[in-house]
Amino acid sequence: GAVVSQHPSRVICKSGTSVKIECRSLDFQATTMFWYRQFPKQSLMLMATSNEGSKATYEQGVEKDKFLINHASLTLSTLTVTSAHPEDSSFYICSARDGSRLAGKRNEQFFGPGTRLTVL
Amino acid sequence: DAKTTQPPSMDCAEGRAANLPCNHSTISGNEYVYWYRQIHSQGPQYIIHGLKNNETNEMASLIITEDRKSSTLILPHATLRDTAVYYCIVRVDYGGSQGNLIFGKGTKLSVKP
């Protein structure tokens, strides 16, 4: 299947710093990208949806000024956690939807391997 | 809230078929049933999806009841590497418009030797 990469895979930072996580679709054009967060022993929670070239749509309860999302190209989206605090420690997972019109591939959605963020 | 109900956990013997049930009694006509799985500390992996007909691919089979209110994911010969949390998700896919994948709690499948 298609490949979605995330970088970094793991990051540890001090409280108050900002952390940027990159999400790339490696072999397809992602018209829509999604960011999820997963706390230990819990399910994935959708944070926001972004379409290339437009502002992200955030889910209820997610602070858009704290979690900055940029989707500047069809293969790259970034999530910046600003002024991170220990409660932001989590597993962040991006997902990309294949906008191809090829039969069998339309609108398939693929997930990255995740980024483990630890804020000290 | 997720629109599906799954048992929290299941065990399966290695080499046997694993049958994972999912209830989606409020599913609407333009909603598909999707299955993903998540192996510990990894991103979710797509398994299969369907609308009303049974589906099969190299990973699994999906059996959807005639009334579409429930479905079963079948892993025909489970291996230890199939140990994961399995998520059943219903999502709108109609006329170019597609809903978001909203994850419930899933079923933790443990394949035992």
Side-chain angles (χ1 to χ4, degrees):
Chain A
V3 178
V4 175
S5 70
Q6 279 184 245
H7 177 79
S9 59
R10 186 180 297 267
V11 58
I12 300 172
C13 70
K14 293 181 178 180
S15 184
T17 60
S18 295
V19 175
K20 180 184 283 188
I21 302 170
E22 291 188 350
C23 175
R24 293 180 185 274
S25 57
L26 298 185
D27 53 359
F28 66 96
Q29 292 186 329
T31 51
T32 307
M33 286 187 167
F34 307 84
W35 288 95
Y36 291 80
R37 179 169 55 181
Q38 186 175 32
F39 293 108
K41 298 188 178 181
Q42 294 187 22
S43 188
L44 285 78
M45 290 174 44
L46 180 64
M47 298 175 67
T49 303
S50 71
N51 292 301
E52 183 264 338
S54 60
K55 290 184 178 180
T57 301
Y58 290 81
E59 295 297 301
Q60 192 173 8
V62 178
E63 299 175 56
K64 62 179 181 180
D65 294 330
K66 181 168 183 63
F67 299 99
L68 302 178
I69 293 172
N70 183 284
H71 189 169
S73 77
L74 285 172
T75 60
L76 173 65
S77 176
T78 60
L79 168 68
T80 301
V81 183
T82 62
S83 186
H85 288 92
E87 58 265 30
D88 298 323
S89 298
S90 189
F91 192 49
Y92 291 86
I93 306 169
C94 76
S95 180
R97 181 180 292 164
D98 185 350
S100 169
R101 294 287 185 244
L102 295 174
K105 286 189 174 292
R106 189 182 75 83
N107 288 332
E108 283 193 48
Q109 188 168 335
F110 303 94
F111 287 80
T115 296
R116 176 79 56 192
L117 171 64
T118 302
V119 185
L120 302 177
Chain B
D1 289 340
K3 299 169 69 174
T4 63
T5 304
Q6 299 176 250
S9 64
M10 291 182 65
D11 290 343
C12 177
E14 188 178 20
R16 295 294 190 111
N19 298 293
L20 292 93
C22 179
N23 286 323
H24 30 79
S25 58
T26 60
I27 193 170
S28 60
N30 59 2
E31 287 183 315
Y32 283 67
V33 180
Y34 282 77
W35 283 84
Y36 281 78
R37 72 180 182 183
Q38 186 180 25
I39 295 170
H40 182 63
S41 293
Q42 297 183 24
Q45 177 189 21
Y46 166 82
I47 301 173
I48 199 167
H49 75 283
L51 181 62
K52 55 183 178 181
N53 297 320
N54 297 338
E55 302 287 344
T56 296
N57 62 21
E58 64 278 4
M59 289 183 68
S61 294
L62 173 60
I63 309 298
I64 302 174
T65 58
E66 192 169 343
D67 64 8
R68 301 213 318 126
K69 292 185 177 182
S70 65
S71 61
T72 301
L73 178 74
I74 301 173
L75 306 179
H77 305 287
T79 70
L80 299 179
R81 288 178 295 180
D82 292 321
T83 292
V85 178
Y86 287 76
Y87 296 99
C88 169
I89 303 168
V90 295
R91 180 171 72 165
V92 169
D93 190 349
Y94 173 76
S97 174
Q98 197 171 48
N100 294 327
L101 287 173
I102 304 300
F103 287 78
K105 296 182 178 180
T107 295
K108 181 172 173 53
L109 176 68
S110 299
V111 181
K112 300 183 182 299

